[in-house]
Each structure stands twice: as structure tokens, then as C-alpha cells.
Amino acid sequence: MALLRDGQCVGLPTETVYGLAGDALNPAALAGIFAGKNRPRFDPLILHVAEGFALEKIAADIPPVARTLMARFWPGPLTLLFAKRELVPDLATAGLPTVAVRCPAHPVAQALLREFGGPLAAPSANQFGRISPTTAAAVADELGDAVPLILDGGPCRVGVESTILNVSGGAVTLLRPGGIALEEVTAVIGRVGRPADGAVTAPGMLKSHYAPRTPLERLAAPWPADRALPVNVALLAWRGFAGADGERRRVRVLAADGELSLAAARLFQCLRELDALGMEKIFAEPVPARGLGLAINDRLERASAFGI
Ligand code: TXA
Ligand code: MG
């Protein structure tokens, strides 16, 4: 708490991924966050709030549809974009007139936010453009000495970042698929707009992102059971791997039971492990494009895009 009041950052567990958290209303703390992960300042941050936080302090207008979504999904992996109030520093929103807000479900995050009182800005605690961390050890690997304290809340339950919806402009639009499936959202509020394919929908949603150091290539179909996996290639498999025992060391299976929630929870850790093998290439099998599969495929697509 003293660190946060002093404008420093801490590694924070959330149910999606670990964040690098600092006082959202203190520009010095925000500058520390950008510096800590080498993040360009055009990429705005998400403000995290405790349950029951008076949202009116930071959001100028809270439309009824936002209230419906918050009642159903908060605390949880849903981020909403509101017209911002003056109080929110421009550095937090990269000069945009909107502010992204989320109420995380992880008990450690909630306890810290409750005690701190105000909003904490927290991007994922990785070096800019790299794989998001889902364990405290991964945060230490990514940010090392740049962060004075990492709170260990265990492995993240959801494993992919929050779903981001823009509710500030009348119609609701999806800016980032994430930990709340789109089907769950539409079941509650009906239609959700999808920005045109390939458009940079949010300033930070660059094509090349979530990237391992090893080049990643998405496969159009599962790796054929009768074909040997080349010695310099690792495989991110969806449901299983029928190849030779000797090849298994280079393979991670996302979800043998076919549960997309398990696949999401394992995605970044599996990528991290395969990356550490130092192969020439990582092949990634496709996962079904429904539920959390939308977020998983989005991350794999961005991880495979080299150059922006
Ligand atoms: O699950 C999560 O959302 C995690 C955990 C730590 O809470 N946080 C996270 O933050 O994923 P970050 O910084 O890695 O991604 C936030 C993204 C930005 O890249 C940007 O695309 C979008 O949120 N964003 C934030 N404010 C925005 C705004 N005002 N307008 C458009 N997009 C915004
Ligand atoms: Mg991130």
C-alpha cells in the first residue's frame, strides 16, 4: 500500500492475467507503468476499481446498457469504455475522451482496490508486445527488477484478457474479444457491433502482439497424426497429439477435454513454455471459433503477425 501511495507500481494478480498496477490518478505512477513495460504512450490503460466504487467519479455518462452489463458481469473479465471525467489524467487514456474501466474478480485484486480506495491503472504485466503473464513467476521473467513487489495470487483462472466493449457511443461495439464470451454478452443485451475485419479498433490492438520470440505460424488444420513433427518445430495442439513419444516434449495440448475455458487458461503459459524451448518455429492448431475460442484465435493471430 505504501508503494502505491508513493506512486510506485506492483505486480497484481487478476482472474484474467497479471497486471502492473499503479495509482491511476497520479501521472508519475502512470509514467512509471509505461516505462516499466516499455509501452508507447499512445496505448491507453484500463482503470481497475473495487466493487461498489463510485463510477461517476471517473465516468461522465453511464448509459443504462452499461448498468445492465455491470450488474451481470462485474466483478469479472469485462472492460467498459465510458466518456471520461476531467479527473482522469490524459496519460491514462492516451489523450482519448474515453476511459476504460473494469472491476476484476480476483480476491487479491479486490482486497487491494478496496484498501487503496481509488482506481488502479493496470496493463498486462509483460514487456510491450510480448505474451501476457498468467503466473507471478512469469511477471518476474517479464519485468524483473522494474517492479518492486509482485503479489502472488496463483495462476490466473481465466487466462485471456478482459473483453472490451465500447458503451460510450450509443450502440455497443466489441473492441477486444476476451474472458467473457460474446455469446454471453449478446444473451443479455442483444446485438453487439463488430468493427470491420483488420481495423485497429483500439489504439493498443496492434496486429503484432502477444508474441513469443519464436516465430509462430497458425495451422489451418490439426497436425496430421501420421506425419513426424520436424525436430526444430514446437506444436501448440488443441485437443491432443497422436505423434511419437519422442516428439511430445515439443508439444503442449491446450485442452484434451475440448473445453475452451481450459484452453484459454492454459494458452499463455503453454506459449511461454514452447517459446523457452528455443525452436525455429511454433505451429499453432486452430481452436473452434465460438465462446472463448474467439479470444484465443485473436491472440494466436496477433502472436503470428510479425512486423506491424
Ligand atoms: O484483463 C485485462 O484487461 C488485463 C488485466 C490486467 O486487467 N489488462 C489488460 O490491459 O489487458 P492492457 O493494457 O494489456 O490492454 C488494454 C487495452 C489497450 O491495449 C487498449 O487497446 C484498450 O485496452 N483501451 C484502453 N483504454 C482505451 C480507450 N480509451 N479506448 C480504446 N481502447 C482502450
Ligand atoms: Mg496487454
Side-chain angles (χ1 to χ4, degrees), residues 47-301:
L47 271 55
H48 296 63
V49 298
E51 267 191 276
F53 175 80
L55 199 54
E56 304 74 33
K57 286 185 185 163
I58 52 176
D61 178 40
I62 306 170
V65 68
R67 295 203 185 274
T68 305
L69 288 166
M70 291 188 289
R72 172 68 182 77
F73 296 111
W74 279 14
L78 179 70
T79 295
L80 299 175
L81 243 63
F82 299 99
K84 92 173 188 74
R85 281 219 193 270
E86 199 86 353
L87 181 68
V88 181
D90 283 335
L91 195 49
T93 63
L96 294 170
T98 49
V99 60
V101 188
R102 116 168 172 89
C103 178
H106 196 292
V108 173
Q110 274 299 324
L112 192 76
L113 285 163
R114 239 186 344 260
E115 197 183 335
F116 187 68
L120 290 174
S124 51
N126 49 276
Q127 291 291 331
F128 182 70
R130 291 257 310 142
I131 305 169
S132 300
T134 50
T135 63
V139 179
D141 279 353
E142 285 289 325
L143 302 180
D145 300 339
V147 44
L149 174 73
I150 300 168
L151 299 171
D152 190 345
C156 299
R157 174 171 60 80
V158 177
V160 290
E161 297 84 351
S162 58
T163 300
I164 306 182
L165 297 176
N166 189 353
V167 293
S168 72
V172 177
T173 53
L174 176 72
L175 296 188
R176 177 175 75 182
I180 298 277
L182 195 57
E183 295 92 326
E184 280 191 75
V185 175
T186 52
V188 176
I189 61 162
R191 219 186 87 77
V192 171
R194 299 279 299 276
D197 238 14
V200 174
T201 50
M205 294 302 278
L206 301 176
K207 267 204 133 169
S208 170
H209 221 111
Y210 308 103
R213 296 201 169 81
T214 318
L216 183 137
E217 191 176 308
R218 294 184 73 198
L219 301 175
W223 184 258
D226 56 357
R227 201 155 139 215
L229 191 65
V231 286
N232 53 359
V233 167
L235 176 70
L236 184 67
W238 156 229
R239 290 204 58 165
F241 179 70
D245 275 353
E247 296 171 356
R248 250 167 239 287
R249 192 185 70 82
R250 291 179 277 123
V251 178
R252 293 294 179 280
V253 175
L254 282 175
D257 61 0
E259 281 295 331
L260 286 160
S261 55
L262 177 63
R266 287 175 49 73
L267 176 69
F268 289 140
Q269 185 58 30
C270 286
L271 274 177
R272 216 167 258 286
E273 288 172 17
L274 293 179
D275 201 16
L277 297 177
M279 296 284 124
E280 258 169 45
K281 198 170 263 193
I282 299 171
F283 285 156
E285 292 183 354
V287 310
R290 58 177 159 77
L292 295 186
L294 206 62
I296 297 172
N297 284 330
D298 170 79
R299 304 308 186 266
L300 289 174
E301 180 59 32

Side-chain angles (χ1 to χ4, degrees), residues 7 9 22-35 41 45 47 89-93 121:
C9 311
D23 183 350
L25 304 182
N26 176 351
L30 297 171
I33 292 175
F34 283 100
R41 293 194 177 191
L45 304 174
L47 271 55
D90 283 335
L91 195 49
T93 63

